[in-house]
Amino acid sequence: MTYGTIYAIVAIGFNIIYNATGIINFAQGEFVMLGGMTAVTLNQFVPMPLAILLAVVLTMIVGAVIEIVFIRWLYKPSVLRMVIITIGISILIREIALHIWGESVRALPYFTGSSVSSINLGGVFISSQVLWVVGIGGLAVAALTAFFSLTMLGRQMRACAANRDAARLCGIDAKNMVTLSFVLSAAIGAIGGAVVCPITYVQYDSGTPLAIKGFTVAILGGLGNSTAAVGAGMILGILESFSIWVLPTAYKEAISIAILLAILFVRPSGIFGSAEAARLKEF
Amino acid sequence: MGRRNFAIAEFAALIVAIQLGTSLTGTGYYLTQLTMTAYYSLVIVGLCMLIGYAGQISLGHAGFFAIGGYMTAFLTTCDLKSDHGAFVSLLERSGALVSRHDVYGGSLLTVHPWLACAAAILLTVVVAYLVGGPILKLKGHYLAMATLGIGIIVYRIVLGTEFLGAADGISEVPGFPLPGGLVITGDASSRISNYYLAWGLLILGMVLLLNLIRSRVGRALVAVHGAEDAAEAMGIPTARYKLHTFALSAVFAALAGVLLTHYNGGIGPSEAGVMKSVRYVAIVAIGGMANLWGALAMSLVLNFLSLRGYFGTYDDAVFGVILILIMLFAPDGLLRRHLLADLKRIVSRNPDGEEAP
């Protein structure tokens, strides 16, 4: 469940940017890492809730900077070019993180209780942090859904995603919407990173595996469909925990990638997506 | 003598000149890095063929490099002495096994490097065709992610498998004997001969690829790259050409892996890492996607600097920055035939370049 939630959060981050721009941001996992890392560092100076809030804001700024510096002024870039640029950005963030924080593994303290304490939920004992992860993850997803369907800004973003030219004709600033999509996906990534890091720990290079699993989940649920991504995240999380029974832990990461490949080969539109809709999208 | 042959001859002359230069100035130790550069460049030119001419990105070529390297390393270091099965004795009688001594003087019975190399190439071809079939049907993000996935699976397997040395990799791989008493090894005494072996192989690879590009196949690939549907309509079996090119570039990577493993005397999991794959793509990109000579030139400069440790702890970051800058400002690569024209255009501030004065 915990892992499933974090994968779903990363996948939603992918979806936000994909929907607004048609770009897969390979640096999405780095947002999660940045969120966790900055929260841990700031927690040394300020109380934890404030540290997490500041970490999210900082990561949002990073997201905005990335969009403004690298993406904004490109005119109709090819997919290959965008793939390579975002991979380059992810390497850059990772290397900067390595030089700031070193190779050490960090973690936030548990929000409530400790790593050994657990809560009895009708006979099942689970760690309180798992509840925090699922709760905050669920809240973030709900907030995003509300944002996209209820607020004017959210509707404008969806308009841009559906048809950028038409949106522009209606007086929507499409470029700012793209920036906003990077900011939003950075925010949700950072929230996920901060919430989950007491359990999973965070290191300078923990972004890439998350990005790959998030991408798997995004594909599994059908690119661009955030509700399906939550379901797909849970499926992958559960599959992964089962795989440990059959195969050595060292191969755990290979499992999710094998699933990804299998889905790509058999059904690139995802389990919950329609093949019809997938054909209309640009890859 | 055509222009192509002339370029090859110039290149060969340059290689000889470098060797003589280092010998005369007493900087022979550079040859070690230069030899490794040549082997890494073998991966680059193979990948350039795939990305530039077949138009298919691969972010998993370090995986093929590792398949080659690990296969040969495992076969040439795995002691079969205690195993007296029928297959082993058959191999022994056919001369496929060699007995040698390890560094502690103990005797070992291992597979002959030539056989190990053949097995490595065979395995690579099988893997390339198996995964290439479904993978090359994908496009864009999906293809990039799928090839990246293949690379990571290989990385995870070599990292998690005990008999492949897990995080330590495999060491004490013997040299690779060649006819005429030559042997591929990192021994300082055979530095010069190994330098020529590596560069000779690279030239051979270049000649092969350059001829391939000029052939019917090469023209077909250019058509596939330009407009796949149109090519298909012209009767070009696009899927088959893409698959063959994928396998060819994988073999180039695996061969580099085999030879470099024998040269270094070992291989570790970092060779299979994602960063290596990304680095290969970065070098192809900076050299100019469809430009074998450009990719080769960039590979020589960047690999050599990296191997000499000029980038220090910023090694990976340097390649990340290179990737971003190239893709932002010169997506067709730095070394292009029209580079001079481009410069002229920039200087004369005439971005369309149509009526450059």
Side-chain angles (χ1 to χ4, degrees):
Chain A
M1 277 287 270
T2 325
Y3 287 96
T5 312
I6 187 74
Y7 298 159
I9 286 175
V10 182
I12 290 168
F14 271 121
N15 284 339
I16 294 173
I17 293 182
Y18 178 80
N19 275 340
T21 60
I23 296 170
I24 294 289
N25 175 24
F26 279 77
Q28 188 62 40
E30 266 61 35
F31 289 154
V32 179
M33 181 271 292
L34 275 181
M37 276 294 198
T38 39
V40 173
T41 311
L42 290 171
N43 192 34
Q44 292 164 353
F45 310 107
V46 293
M48 189 151 63
L50 187 62
I52 292 176
L53 189 71
L54 283 176
V56 172
V57 171
L58 274 176
T59 314
M60 283 164 87
I61 293 171
V62 172
V65 168
I66 285 175
E67 201 279 333
I68 290 167
V69 174
F70 297 113
I71 315 286
R72 177 171 278 242
W73 54 282
L74 288 175
Y75 177 72
K76 284 198 177 162
S78 72
V79 168
L80 179 67
R81 211 169 147 197
M82 287 319 304
V83 168
I84 297 182
I85 288 178
T86 53
I87 287 179
I89 293 170
S90 89
I91 296 169
L92 209 56
I93 297 179
R94 195 163 64 228
E95 291 298 311
I96 292 171
L98 174 64
H99 279 91
I100 295 177
W101 287 294
E103 287 186 20
S104 59
V105 180
R106 286 146 203 264
L108 275 176
Y110 274 54
F111 291 4
T112 50
S114 67
S115 53
V116 284
S117 68
S118 57
I119 294 170
N120 186 349
L121 270 188
V124 186
F125 289 90
I126 48 172
S127 160
S128 60
Q129 190 65 27
V130 173
L131 292 180
W132 276 107
V133 172
V134 175
I136 293 182
L139 254 173
V141 174
L144 264 182
T145 318
F147 170 74
F148 278 118
S149 56
L150 297 178
T151 65
M152 196 60 197
L153 202 57
R155 287 190 196 151
Q156 287 183 346
M157 274 186 79
R158 281 197 300 155
C160 280
N163 189 331
R164 200 186 285 203
D165 293 333
R168 204 177 288 141
L169 284 176
C170 296
I172 300 170
D173 189 342
K175 294 214 158 186
N176 285 341
M177 292 300 142
V178 173
T179 315
L180 188 61
S181 75
F182 270 81
V183 171
L184 270 184
S185 75
I188 193 160
I191 293 172
V195 175
V196 86
C197 86
I199 307 177
T200 58
Y201 303 111
V202 57
Q203 203 182 354
Y204 78 98
D205 63 351
S206 52
T208 315
L210 278 175
I212 288 161
K213 281 164 195 165
F215 187 81
T216 311
V217 167
I219 298 276
L220 200 63
L223 254 185
N225 183 347
S226 289
T227 333
V230 176
M234 298 302 153
I235 294 177
L236 185 70
I238 292 166
L239 275 178
E240 258 195 1
S241 1
F242 275 121
S243 75
I244 302 176
W245 291 353
V246 195
L247 279 161
T249 336
Y251 295 139
K252 193 174 126 189
E253 198 161 306
I255 299 291
S256 60
I257 297 163
I259 296 172
L260 166 69
L261 290 178
I263 294 162
L264 283 179
F265 296 162
V266 182
R267 200 176 152 81
S269 55
I271 297 178
F272 304 112
S274 80
E276 206 60 41
R279 212 169 298 139
L280 293 172
K281 290 175 185 161
E282 284 173 52
F283 298 119
Chain B
M1 199 157 94
R3 263 190 68 206
R4 232 181 326 154
N5 298 340
F6 188 64
I8 292 280
E10 275 183 332
F11 183 52
L14 179 71
I15 291 161
V16 176
I18 290 174
Q19 188 271 314
L20 291 176
T22 53
S23 290
L24 287 175
T25 53
T27 48
Y29 52 88
Y30 282 128
L31 291 185
T32 307
Q33 284 83 30
L34 284 168
T35 308
M36 288 170 73
T37 302
Y39 288 135
Y40 279 124
S41 300
L42 216 49
V43 188
I44 304 288
V45 293
L47 190 62
C48 182
M49 187 75 198
L50 180 69
I51 298 183
Y53 293 90
Q56 310 297 309
I57 194 177
S58 170
L59 287 166
H61 258 54
F64 289 113
F65 181 95
I67 289 177
Y70 266 98
M71 186 72 178
T72 194
F74 173 66
L75 289 177
T76 53
T77 54
C78 174
D79 191 11
L80 297 168
K81 207 160 186 207
S82 49
D83 184 358
H84 281 292
F87 184 62
V88 169
S89 37
L90 181 76
L91 279 179
E92 194 172 6
R93 247 174 290 138
S94 63
L97 299 183
V98 282
S99 106
R100 57 189 181 85
H101 297 285
D102 64 13
V103 281
Y104 308 109
S107 68
L108 283 172
L109 186 64
T110 58
V111 177
H112 194 281
W114 277 100
L115 193 71
C117 176
I121 300 298
L122 191 70
L123 179 69
T124 310
V125 170
V126 170
V127 172
Y129 275 104
L130 276 182
V131 302
I135 268 191
L136 293 173
K137 289 199 188 101
L138 304 168
K139 285 194 178 69
H141 293 124
Y142 286 178
L143 179 68
M145 206 66 201
T147 51
L148 185 66
I150 298 287
I152 293 174
I153 288 180
V154 174
Y155 176 67
R156 282 289 145 187
I157 289 175
V158 299
L159 195 63
T161 308
E162 269 318 304
F163 67 82
L164 292 178
D168 296 330
I170 300 178
S171 53
E172 282 160 35
V173 176
F176 193 107
L178 295 169
L182 291 169
V183 60
I184 293 180
T185 160
D187 231 16
S189 58
S190 54
R191 204 179 257 153
I192 291 178
S193 65
N194 265 281
Y195 170 83
Y196 280 112
L197 273 174
W199 290 95
L201 260 167
L202 182 61
I203 288 183
L204 210 66
M206 281 296 281
V207 170
L208 180 82
L209 290 181
L210 287 170
N211 277 312
L212 195 65
I213 289 165
R214 295 299 168 97
S215 74
R216 204 184 141 82
V217 180
R219 289 195 302 272
L221 283 175
V222 172
V224 171
H225 194 176
E228 196 173 331
D229 293 336
E232 187 78 56
M234 294 277 289
I236 296 169
T238 53
R240 210 193 315 157
Y241 275 135
K242 284 196 286 186
L243 187 55
H244 289 332
T245 315
F246 185 70
L248 180 73
S249 72
V251 166
F252 265 73
L255 189 67
V258 169
L259 298 172
L260 202 55
T261 300
H262 283 287
Y263 182 73
N264 285 340
I267 185 168
S270 70
E271 289 293 350
V274 174
M275 244 343 271
K276 284 277 182 186
S277 294
V278 172
R279 166 176 305 194
Y280 297 144
V281 175
I283 293 174
V284 172
I286 189 177
M289 294 290 190
N291 180 351
L292 274 181
W293 284 109
L296 179 66
M298 277 300 145
S299 163
L300 303 188
V301 174
L302 290 175
N303 271 320
F304 179 71
L305 291 180
S306 169
L307 286 166
R308 284 296 301 169
Y310 276 100
F311 304 139
T313 49
Y314 295 95
D315 204 34
D316 286 348
V318 166
F319 284 92
V321 171
I322 286 174
L323 260 188
I324 297 177
L325 290 181
I326 286 297
M327 282 296 129
L328 285 179
F329 300 112
D332 299 323
L334 212 55
L335 298 178
R336 276 177 296 175
R337 213 158 282 165
H338 308 297
L339 187 67
L340 278 178
D342 282 353
L343 280 177
K344 223 181 271 175
R345 208 167 35 164
I346 291 167
V347 170
S348 65
R349 287 168 189 272
N350 180 359
D352 295 327
E354 277 158 13
E355 309 125 332

